[in-house]
Amino acid sequence: SKSDDGFCSAPSITESDEKTKPIYWKVTNPTLSPSHLQDLPGYTRSVYKRDHALITPESHVFSPLPDWTNTLGAYLITPAMGSHFVMYFAKMKEMSSSGLPPKDIERLVFVVDGAVTLTNTSSSSTKLTVDSYAYLPPNFHHSLDCVESATLVVFERRYERLGSHTTELIVGSTDKKPLLETPGEVFELRKLLPVSLAYDFNIHIMDFQPGEFLNVKEVHYNQHGLLLLEGQGIYRLGDNWYPVQAGDVIWMAPFVPQWYAALGKNRSRYLLYKDVNRNPL
Ligand SMILES: NC(=O)N[C@H](N)C(=O)O
Ligand SMILES: [Mn+2]
């Protein structure tokens, strides 16, 4: 028919998929996954620049994680880029276990798929399912064990002490965290860690409805590691404007101009590492 061969025609998108899948399913089932790109050799949306990087799922490279058992890891952000933290995916397979971070390194794990059990010496074990997280203070003995399979996003950095403050084990889930005030902004904000001085970073969960965008065209001293958990939109980084979608990871160096606008039909949600509470000098 006439409408089928119009020069602006595009395949229609089925919305039914989105509605029936568990939350965050796009992180482990991205639209442009390698299987969908077999006919487009050499194509990736990933970029790596001095002050930012976009690392899309077809570029994620997994290899066995040292110290973990039966687990594949993909380091997405490391100090080789200029960051003071690492961000990686840990794909835990059947009967797998975590290793411990090096001395004085703090860790935050967030479950995007499957489930793990957190065990430590002082308390009983806790089950972490999708959308839950744990903060492990530096030198805190613990183990994350997985019976079936799980995908975690992990952040680690050298803890920067401040006076006599100390951090504590924290276990929680996004949906139990209160919405926080965001003066001048429209997005919804939750923070996974306490805002107290003991903590030298926080993880923000930011929600945008389609059409919403950051009002502040941010340029700041803090670093970011971002995982887009849901939705799609445009990320501005410096003078570059990137189409992004769930599963994409972004490294933002200090002072890179940054801005996001949510598009499409569904909520955008991203998880964002941000260093806080320390004098930059
Ligand atoms: N790129 C961002 O979303 N940045 C956050 N609004 C932040 O710096 O808090
Ligand atoms: Mn920012």
Side-chain angles (χ1 to χ4, degrees):
S1 74
K2 194 93 192 79
S3 60
D4 286 342
D5 49 42
F7 60 83
C8 285
S9 68
S12 59
I13 295 151
T14 48
E15 268 179 70
S16 54
D17 263 17
E18 301 272 346
K19 300 260 150 57
T20 55
K21 296 288 196 302
I23 59 169
Y24 310 151
W25 73 282
K26 274 275 184 181
V27 172
T28 45
N29 299 278
T31 308
L32 293 179
S33 68
S35 64
H36 293 112
L37 284 171
Q38 275 164 6
D39 297 331
L40 202 43
Y43 175 74
T44 179
R45 289 180 298 116
S46 296
V47 296
Y48 175 55
K49 301 200 183 227
R50 183 193 64 78
D51 58 5
H52 68 271
L54 170 63
I55 307 152
T56 59
E58 72 279 2
S59 298
H60 297 173
V61 177
F62 286 86
S63 44
L65 269 182
D67 308 326
W68 297 49
T69 59
N70 214 18
T71 303
L72 293 175
Y75 281 97
L76 302 160
I77 300 176
T78 78
M81 292 167 148
S83 68
H84 62 217
F85 66 96
V86 297
M87 173 177 177
Y88 58 98
F89 278 128
K91 258 194 200 158
M92 303 187 73
K93 297 183 282 187
E94 264 181 17
M95 304 307 280
S96 52
S97 295
S98 64
L100 285 172
K103 186 168 180 288
D104 298 336
I105 302 295
E106 56 188 337
R107 167 184 277 174
L108 184 132
V109 301
F110 181 96
V111 183
V112 291
D113 184 45
V116 294
T117 302
L118 168 68
T119 312
N120 68 281
T121 40
S122 57
S123 68
S124 54
S125 1
T126 316
K127 191 170 180 188
L128 301 176
T129 53
V130 175
D131 209 35
S132 37
Y133 63 94
Y135 167 82
L136 299 318
N139 310 314
F140 180 87
H141 210 276
H142 66 277
S143 177
L144 297 154
D145 302 293
C146 178
V147 177
E148 282 175 4
S149 70
T151 302
L152 313 177
V153 55
V154 186
F155 296 89
E156 289 168 358
R157 67 169 286 185
R158 189 164 302 280
Y159 179 60
E160 195 178 329
R161 247 158 252 295
L162 182 69
S164 57
H165 295 284
T166 54
T167 62
E168 289 176 356
L169 169 69
I170 292 167
V171 174
S173 66
T174 305
D175 62 341
K176 302 240 163 56
K177 302 307 287 181
L179 286 177
L180 303 173
E181 294 292 319
T182 56
E185 293 287 5
V186 291
F187 60 81
E188 289 188 336
L189 173 66
R190 294 175 173 85
K191 296 186 181 182
L192 300 189
L193 296 181
V195 296
S196 55
L197 286 179
Y199 297 85
D200 59 3
F201 73 93
N202 214 318
I203 301 291
H204 294 188
I205 304 288
M206 294 172 56
D207 293 349
F208 300 78
Q209 294 307 318
E212 293 183 340
F213 51 87
L214 285 172
N215 277 318
V216 179
K217 281 64 72 171
E218 298 179 13
V219 177
H220 53 63
Y221 78 95
N222 322 71
Q223 318 188 350
H224 287 316
L226 180 154
L227 170 63
L228 194 54
L229 291 167
E230 297 179 286
Q232 51 183 201
I234 302 283
Y235 228 101
R236 177 183 178 168
L237 297 164
D239 291 334
N240 307 274
W241 307 68
Y242 299 107
V244 293
Q245 65 176 355
D248 290 353
V249 168
I250 295 174
W251 150 243
M252 289 177 248
F255 299 107
V256 69
Q258 54 197 256
W259 177 85
Y260 182 64
L263 296 171
K265 296 217 184 238
N266 300 106
R267 166 177 88 177
S268 279
R269 166 173 283 184
Y270 61 70
L271 176 157
L272 187 78
Y273 169 96
K274 182 176 190 173
D275 54 305
V276 293
N277 288 333
R278 295 296 180 272
N279 190 319
L281 275 177

